[in-house]
Amino acid sequence: MSSHQPRRPGEVLFNLAMVAGSLFLLWSAYGISGFEALSAPGTVPMATTFIMAICAGMILRESLAKPANTAERVSRDILPMSVIVTIALVTGYAFLLKPLGFLPTSFLFLTVLIAYLKKTSLVWSAAVSLGVVVLIYLVFRIIFKVLMPEGIVPEGEIIAWVKSIFVSEVQ
């Protein structure tokens, strides 16, 4: 299937990464049990990653055959700064979630992201973030009883204190 679309910036590099990733996964799948038998534990992963590597190679070959598109730029059309900042903030969120906990990490993440993307003041962004985090916390932690990483905020003690206020007034 021949396409007359030009090659986009970063397309060859991405396809090379897909070929390399597929070959790495094929090697990892081979490490499960090798070529012992058709019913061996690594057979399906090896077959799957072999097909994936073949397909990635075919896509790379097709990508290399296309003419380059000189009108597009990676920084403007493919990976603008807002996407890079969002990826960096999500990565930071993932690393800070366990040590800081859900509440402070989510509050910081939303505050910075809203301020950056919406270009508003930190005070407005913090107020919106606080409302969103409180709403999420109430729905998921209090109503649905979903456990979230506690971190530096002693949520258990706060919930016990709030419950003790209502229990003592009822009696």
Side-chain angles (χ1 to χ4, degrees):
M1 181 172 133
S2 179
S3 173
H4 296 289
Q5 294 179 345
R7 182 176 63 228
R8 300 190 74 190
E11 186 174 341
V12 171
L13 184 63
F14 178 80
N15 289 329
L16 276 171
M18 291 296 104
V19 168
S22 299
L23 292 174
F24 172 76
L25 290 173
L26 178 59
W27 178 255
S28 298
Y30 175 77
I32 294 173
S33 63
F35 289 116
E36 285 180 8
L38 284 177
S39 61
T43 302
V44 172
M46 277 193 300
T48 305
T49 54
F50 179 74
I51 293 169
M52 193 166 75
I54 296 296
C55 291
M58 292 169 59
I59 292 169
L60 174 63
R61 188 185 73 209
E62 184 179 305
S63 175
L64 289 169
K66 293 179 184 178
N69 181 356
T70 57
E72 286 185 320
R73 298 279 176 246
V74 172
S75 62
R76 183 189 69 218
D77 302 309
I78 309 298
L79 201 57
M81 187 54 71
S82 60
V83 173
I84 293 170
V85 168
T86 302
I87 290 170
L89 287 172
V90 168
T91 303
Y93 183 88
F95 281 111
L96 293 175
L97 187 59
K98 188 166 184 169
L100 292 182
F102 173 77
L103 292 174
T105 306
S106 298
F107 174 75
L108 287 171
F109 170 76
L110 287 174
T111 299
V112 173
L113 193 61
I114 290 170
Y116 176 75
L117 292 176
K118 189 128 171 79
K119 298 187 182 4
T120 60
S121 71
L122 277 177
V123 173
W124 188 86
S125 299
V128 170
S129 298
L130 182 64
V132 168
V133 170
V134 166
L135 182 65
I136 290 170
Y137 184 79
L138 289 174
V139 169
F140 287 98
R141 179 68 176 100
I142 306 299
I143 296 172
F144 293 131
K145 307 270 190 256
V146 175
L147 294 177
M148 299 175 183
E150 190 170 310
I152 60 174
V153 177
E155 296 175 35
E157 289 84 359
I158 294 171
I159 291 172
W161 178 74
V162 170
K163 284 182 180 178
S164 72
I165 291 173
F166 290 111
V167 170
S168 64
E169 288 182 9
V170 172
Q171 293 177 348

